[in-house]
């Protein structure tokens, strides 16, 4: 067995398992194939307890220590003569079984007790971790999340987790999102025996169906006659249902959309919804470490859970803790968001900006957008993920959760970032819940922010107000905006270092950072972040952040692959700009394809896509 | 000390025995049983003693009989009072069965003088007495006294071997003795021509349904040359046991009645003349061996008939739609690694 991760989206990943010289993509389903149960033709990988050899890759389970039989089949077993105890026995009893099982196989049975994970892992090079009593564990949602996340932290990125009996079309997405790599077809069999048809939205008993809401080959053959569906027909339907959904899950991971699929799938089952809630609230660091900082596709925020997505929380934290506003601005102008992203490309924001630029001193004004679910977005960050791609249902009605979130951020933001004057150009339903937090606010919005009346009022106020300050030159402000963005991307110290003595050239959103005729980096609309050149990388190389060190004898050609990495900054996230060092000298710069921790521990896969090298 | 032993001990840590009158027996009643191939009335006595010596130390994973014990010494006087009370309701049954929720031959539960006094009184009245004991108390010394009292009358000792597999007995049951110790006791009984009834547990903790069927069948086969009667006893969920602790957490299901039928049919074929019986405590309830509920009564009746008639024909007409679930469980349970406990349970 060999396993490597190909694609990551949060803790979910697409992997490639090489088994019996065949390739199997994960997440996947181990289809039960025994003397009595035939796996469907479309199965990729099988699990069995009998002795026959098969053409397809197969996980072969031998007898337990309590069995009076010994396995007499041909071929290698994935695990044999194993001793497992139910999850709720004492820790000592589990430890005794771990001692008993100390001969390691490529499959390792692990009791669902987090206290013994590290004992199981001692001298253990198994690749597939099979969670014993996974179903009972799942019934205690917080224990389940605690166990799986801890198991993942301990086994690292290069090994697989399998939860026998757990997983059906409505839960695959969520379970994969926590990091489960393998499921099986047992739930499909049990459901079929109980006359239950599985669907991604909700499982339904045969008796609950007036029509068969499915056109899979098995259901099609029924020609609409629900009552004639027997065990085999339902089982075949269930097999198709789990196959379809596992493909959906893999697709979503590849697209970077797994979170959206998760939020859709958990709707039908409160226990799944509570698992996601627990994950978001208690395991933010676990999620955040694994969540990319750049993503091209839309972030669809249509559920309450979207508010607590790790990338949203991270954005909010960085705005408060890392971001530094342009230095010369004195007037804070609050604006509403626009459906079109980036905001400044929208019709409404063009109207606002016309009025700003018609004032005498437009560059003294700092635009900050109030929005859900991001909270507050300074104009210079409008190209960054997720500000550049989020999409919500706009109704003008704000939920209490949203109000609370925005108020908290605003309060923190105003404590750190001081302005002389503040203008509120947002409709009254936003004003209502933020105005008390703003000292001496000037309100320019009359009903609709884009009405002529409102815009004229904005013009009037700006004309008068901006004339009270010294004129901020356009070139200076463009520089400060770039510095503000850089502070969000790299932190303030690196931002200052990078931009020292630089000029900004080019038309927004494509702008170059030029230092004495040498280009250090470029902001692009596509990434929303600064992409560095070699010169840029060299300038900030010894800042102690965003570095990857490769082995001295490693020659940098195309990408940096994990085996070449000696050490890496653990704060690196997927999508981050990283500097490649060799022997303490900068030899390349590129984009992280895995996070810093995975780079350090993993032996396979592309770690950094190189843009420039010496 | 074995970790399972520790767990059994740990679960009894907070157990406080019910306060009860040491001069009254737990229960006594009359029931039907077989004596010399004929149906007769049998009189059942359950003495209240300090309890099973093994249970007091740690105990077996499935055994909750200690709940009936006093956990402190019962005086000789009280034991005799208990006996006197039971004899008030005795109406001449020729077969008397004595239980103590422990070992009748353990001197710490009932002193030899009292034990022999009770046996002497009974020997005058009845044709057969049966008692229970762990093998360590089945010794030459005790049996010679018994033999002296009973002479040619029938005396039977029930002994809970549970399984012939030492690993299962130690790591799933915590029985506290080995197969060899059982065999030694059995040979001692033979020497005195006393009758041995061996209890075999159907579905100990930690075994899958299929493993437990195989375990029970192979145990029956291995002990047929040592025992006169085999009594298959399916685990029922008794209070304050490790079994109950895990059953409540959905990590144990008592055996299917289908499995029991399977064990009885196969064992009858394998063991020939040995008498096979099966008492299903709590049968048909969620705490006892059960099927789908719809067919349970039919199965329990057939099993009871089998115990009397010793004829596997009684099982011929049994059928139910739940058979497929049972077969599935046999087929795939070990692939679920503990998750698939019960087919009617939740799936996810």
């Amino acid at each position: 067995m060999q396993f490597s991760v190909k694609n990551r989206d949060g803790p979910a990943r697409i992997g490639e398992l090489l088994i019996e010289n065949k390739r199997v993509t994960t997440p996947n389903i181990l289809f039960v194939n025994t003397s009595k149960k035939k796996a469907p033709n479309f199965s990729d990988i099988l699990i069995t307890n009998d002795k026959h050899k098969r053409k397809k890759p197969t996980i072969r389970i031998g007898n337990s220590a309590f069995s009076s039989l010994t396995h007499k089949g041909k071929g290698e077993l994935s695990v044999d003569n194993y001793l497992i105890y139910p999850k709720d026995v004492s820790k000592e009893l589990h430890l005794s079984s771990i001692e008993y099982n100390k001969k390691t196989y490529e499959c390792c049975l692990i009791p669902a007790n987090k206290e013994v994970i590290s004992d199981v892992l001692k001298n253990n090079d198994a690749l597939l971790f099979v969670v014993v009593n996974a179903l009972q564990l799942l019934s205690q949602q917080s224990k389940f999340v605690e166990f799986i996340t801890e198991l993942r932290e301990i086994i690292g990125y290069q090994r697989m987790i399998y939860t026998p009996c757990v997983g059906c079309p409505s839960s695959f997405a969520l379970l994969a999102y926590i990091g489960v790599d393998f499921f099986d077809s047992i739930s499909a069999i049990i459901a079929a025996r109980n006359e239950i048809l599985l669907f991604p939205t909700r499982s339904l008993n045969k008796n609950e169906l007036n029509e068969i809401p499915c056109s899979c080959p098995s259901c099609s053959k029924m020609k609409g006659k629900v009552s004639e569906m027997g065990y085999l027909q339902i089982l075949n339907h269930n097999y198709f249902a789990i196959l379809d959904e596992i493909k959906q899950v893999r697709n979503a991971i590849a697209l970077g959309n797994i979170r959206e699929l998760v939020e859709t799938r958990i709707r039908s089952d409160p226990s799944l919804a509570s698992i996601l809630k627990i994950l978001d609230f208690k395991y933010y660091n676990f999620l955040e470490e694994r969540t990319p900082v750049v993503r091209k596709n839309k972030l669809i925020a249509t559920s309450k859970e979207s508010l607590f997505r790790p990338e949203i929380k991270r954005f909010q934290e960085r705005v408060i803790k890392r971001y530094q506003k342009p230095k010369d601005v004195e007037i804070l102008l609050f604006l509403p968001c626009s459906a079109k992203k980036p905001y400044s490309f929208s019709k409404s924001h063009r109207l606002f900006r016309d009025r700003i630029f018609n004032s005498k001193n437009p560059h003294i004004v700092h635009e900050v957008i109030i929005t859900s679910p991001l909270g507050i977005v300074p104009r210079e960050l409008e190209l960054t993920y997720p500000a550049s791609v989020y999409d919500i249902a706009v109704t003008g009605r704000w939920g209490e959760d949203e109000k609370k979130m925005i108020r908290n951020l605003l309060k923190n933001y105003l404590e750190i970032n001081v302005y002389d004057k503040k203008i509120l150009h947002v409709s009254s339903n936003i004003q209502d819940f933020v105005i008390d937090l703003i000292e001496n606010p000037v309100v320019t919005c009359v009903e609709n922010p884009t009405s002529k009346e409102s815009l004229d009022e904005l013009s009037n106020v700006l004309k008068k107000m901006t004339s009270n300050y010294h004129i901020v030159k356009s070139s200076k402000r463009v520089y400060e905006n770039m510095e503000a963005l850089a502070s969000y991307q790299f932190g303030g110290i690196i931002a200052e270092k990078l931009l020292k003595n630089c000029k900004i050239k080019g038309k927004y959103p494509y702008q170059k950072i030029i230092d004495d005729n040498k280009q250090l980096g470029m902001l692009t609309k596509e990434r929303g972040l600064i992409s560095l050149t070699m010169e840029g990388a060299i300038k900030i190389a010894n800042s102690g952040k965003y570095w990857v060190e490769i082995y001295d004898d490693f020659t940098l050609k195309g990408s940096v692959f994990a085996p070449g990495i000696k050490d890496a900054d653990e704060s690196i996230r997927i999508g981050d700009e990283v500097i490649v060092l060799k022997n303490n000298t900068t030899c390349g710069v590129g984009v992280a394809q895995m996070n810093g921790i995975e780079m350090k521990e993993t032996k396979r896969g592309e770690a950094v896509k190189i843009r420039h090298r010496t | 000390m074995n970790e399972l032993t520790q767990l059994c001990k740990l679960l009894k840590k907070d157990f406080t025995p019910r306060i009860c009158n040491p001069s009254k027996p737990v229960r006594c009643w009359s029931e039907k049983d077989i004596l010399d191939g004929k149906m007769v009335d049998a009189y059942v006595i359950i003495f209240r003693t300090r309890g099973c010596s093994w249970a007091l130390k740690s105990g077996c994973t499935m055994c909750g009989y200690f709940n009936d014990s006093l956990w402190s010494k019962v005086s000789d006087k009280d034991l005799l009072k208990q006996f006197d009370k039971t004899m008030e309701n005795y109406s001449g049954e020729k077969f008397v069965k004595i239980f103590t929720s422990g070992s009748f031959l353990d001197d710490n539960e009932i002193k030899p003088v009292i034990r022999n006094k009770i046996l002497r009184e009974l020997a005058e009245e009845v044709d057969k007495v049966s008692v229970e004991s762990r093998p360590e108390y089945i010794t030459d010394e005790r049996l010679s006294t018994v033999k002296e009292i009973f002479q040619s009358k029938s005396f039977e000792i029930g002994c809970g071997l549970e399984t012939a597999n030492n690993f299962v007995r130690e790591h799933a049951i915590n029985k506290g003795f080995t197969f060899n110790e059982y065999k030694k006791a059995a040979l001692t009984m033979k020497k005195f021509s006393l009758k041995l009834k061996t209890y075999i547990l159907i579905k100990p903790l930690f075994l899958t349904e299929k493993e437990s069927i195989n375990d029970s069948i192979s145990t029956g086969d291995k002990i047929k040359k040592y025992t006169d009667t085999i009594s298959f006893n399916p685990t029922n969920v008794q209070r304050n046991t490790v079994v109950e602790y895990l059953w409540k957490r959905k990590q144990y299901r008592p055996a299917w009645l289908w499995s029991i039928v399977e064990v009885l049919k196969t064992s009858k074929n394998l063991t020939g003349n040995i008498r096979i019986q099966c008492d299903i405590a709590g049968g048909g309830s969620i705490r006892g061996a059960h099927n789908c509920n719809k067919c349970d009564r039919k199965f329990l009746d057939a099993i009871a008939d089998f115990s009397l008639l010793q004829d596997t024909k009684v099982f011929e007409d049994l059928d139910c739609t739940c058979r497929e679930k049972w077969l599935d469980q046999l087929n795939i349970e070990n692939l679920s690694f503990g998750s698939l406990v019960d087919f009617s349970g939740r799936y996810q």
Side-chain angles (χ1 to χ4, degrees), chain A residues 34 36-37 64 167 193-194, chain B residues 211 251 325 328 331 348:
Chain A
T34 63
K36 197 164 169 273
K37 300 272 167 233
S64 93
R193 279 284 174 227
N194 289 308
Chain B
E211 285 168 351
Q251 291 158 45
K325 287 186 183 180
D328 276 355
N331 188 238
Q348 203 16 284

Side-chain angles (χ1 to χ4, degrees), chain A residues 34-37 49 64 85-88 132-136 138 164-165 167 193-194 196 203 269, chain B residues 3-4 167 171 206 211 245 249-251 324-325 327-328 331 334 337-341 343 346-348:
Chain A
T34 63
S35 51
K36 197 164 169 273
K37 300 272 167 233
N49 51 18
S64 93
Y85 286 113
K87 117 184 202 309
D88 287 325
V132 175
N133 284 120
L135 190 63
Q136 288 86 350
L138 184 71
C165 227
R193 279 284 174 227
N194 289 308
I196 288 165
S203 302
D269 185 343
Chain B
E3 294 78 11
L4 184 60
F167 188 84
H171 294 279
F206 312 146
E211 285 168 351
Y245 172 85
R249 288 161 179 77
K250 306 213 181 319
Q251 291 158 45
E324 291 301 323
K325 287 186 183 180
L327 287 173
D328 276 355
N331 188 238
N334 74 327
F337 298 102
S339 283
L340 175 53
V341 167
F343 249 82
R346 188 188 141 91
Y347 64 93
Q348 203 16 284

Side-chain angles (χ1 to χ4, degrees), chain A residues 82-320:
Chain A
Y82 56 90
L83 177 59
I84 53 170
Y85 286 113
K87 117 184 202 309
D88 287 325
V89 302
S90 63
K91 184 186 171 187
E92 290 71 28
L93 204 50
H94 282 311
L95 292 177
S96 74
S97 72
I98 290 161
E99 177 64 23
Y100 185 94
N101 296 335
K102 69 179 174 240
K103 172 172 188 254
T104 61
Y105 288 84
E106 48 195 19
C107 289
C108 171
L109 306 175
I110 184 156
N113 177 330
K114 71 165 180 128
E115 286 177 49
V116 301
I117 299 175
S118 48
D119 295 284
V120 176
L121 266 289
K122 266 179 219 151
N123 307 319
N124 189 334
D125 49 14
L127 266 187
L128 179 66
F129 286 80
V130 184
V131 181
V132 175
N133 284 120
L135 190 63
Q136 288 86 350
L137 180 66
L138 184 71
S139 67
Q140 298 166 286
Q141 290 95 29
S142 59
K143 288 262 163 68
F144 181 81
V145 180
E146 184 182 38
F147 180 82
I148 300 290
T149 54
E150 190 145 333
L151 179 60
R152 174 57 74 209
E153 297 272 19
I154 295 179
I155 64 173
Y157 293 82
Q158 298 191 87
R159 312 204 239 184
M160 298 164 285
I161 298 176
Y162 162 38
T163 51
C165 227
V166 163
C168 63
S170 56
S171 62
F172 284 156
L174 176 66
L175 296 166
Y177 184 58
I178 304 178
V180 178
D181 302 291
F182 270 111
F183 305 99
D184 60 35
S185 58
I186 297 179
S187 62
I189 297 169
I190 301 176
R193 279 284 174 227
N194 289 308
E195 302 199 313
I196 288 165
L197 285 82
L198 301 178
F199 295 101
T201 42
R202 190 162 88 89
S203 302
L204 291 163
N205 195 292
K206 186 178 132 184
N207 306 329
E208 294 175 285
L209 296 174
N210 288 320
E211 299 180 59
I212 307 175
C214 176
S215 302
C216 75
S218 179
C219 290
S220 297
K221 274 189 209 148
M222 299 314 298
K223 302 207 165 74
K225 290 174 189 147
V226 185
S227 58
E228 286 176 18
M229 281 197 107
Y231 163 74
L232 271 178
Q233 288 79 30
I234 298 176
L235 180 65
N236 283 331
H237 162 85
N238 288 349
Y239 281 168
F240 282 110
I242 59 179
L243 173 76
D244 285 357
E245 182 64 10
I246 205 72
K247 286 181 183 169
Q248 287 273 12
V249 168
R250 286 199 296 259
N251 244 336
I253 298 171
L255 281 173
N257 269 341
I258 188 68
R259 176 75 189 208
E260 278 81 0
L261 185 64
V262 170
E263 289 178 16
T264 309
R265 292 304 187 231
I266 59 165
R267 301 263 79 87
S268 63
D269 185 343
S271 73
L272 298 180
S274 47
I275 286 176
L276 183 61
K277 224 174 190 171
I278 292 161
L279 199 57
D280 282 340
F281 285 94
K282 275 184 78 179
Y283 300 90
Y284 165 69
N285 291 336
F286 178 84
L287 292 177
E288 191 278 326
E289 275 171 16
R290 292 161 172 82
T291 301
V293 293
V294 177
R295 200 135 62 172
K296 287 192 191 84
N297 43 338
K298 276 210 157 97
L299 183 154
I300 310 290
T302 46
S303 75
K304 232 178 175 174
E305 290 83 6
S306 317
L307 274 183
F308 308 107
R309 283 179 70 138
E311 52 266 79
I312 287 171
K313 200 165 158 189
R314 175 169 60 202
F315 178 86
Q316 294 168 343
E317 276 189 0
R318 288 191 176 183
V319 166
I320 299 300

Side-chain angles (χ1 to χ4, degrees), chain A residues 395-462:
Chain A
T395 57
R397 287 173 187 273
W398 296 75
E400 291 308 313
D401 277 350
E402 292 171 308
K403 290 182 192 170
K404 201 177 143 199
M405 177 269 294
I406 291 173
R407 282 178 61 84
N408 274 336
L409 286 168
L410 195 57
K411 221 173 124 224
N412 288 330
Y413 181 82
L414 290 173
E415 270 168 23
I416 297 162
N417 301 287
V418 181
Y419 298 86
D420 197 36
K421 290 274 191 291
K422 291 131 197 149
I423 303 171
L424 257 179
H425 192 77
V426 293
S427 57
S428 60
N429 48 22
I430 300 181
Q431 287 169 33
D432 287 348
F433 68 87
V434 299
I435 202 155
D436 62 302
L437 298 171
I438 302 163
E439 216 181 324
N440 303 319
V442 179
V443 177
T444 52
C445 179
V446 191
E447 285 185 19
N448 186 343
T450 52
S451 70
K452 189 169 181 302
E453 247 183 312
S454 297
L455 292 169
D456 287 347
E457 178 63 9
L458 179 64
S459 281
N460 287 337
V461 168
L462 283 175

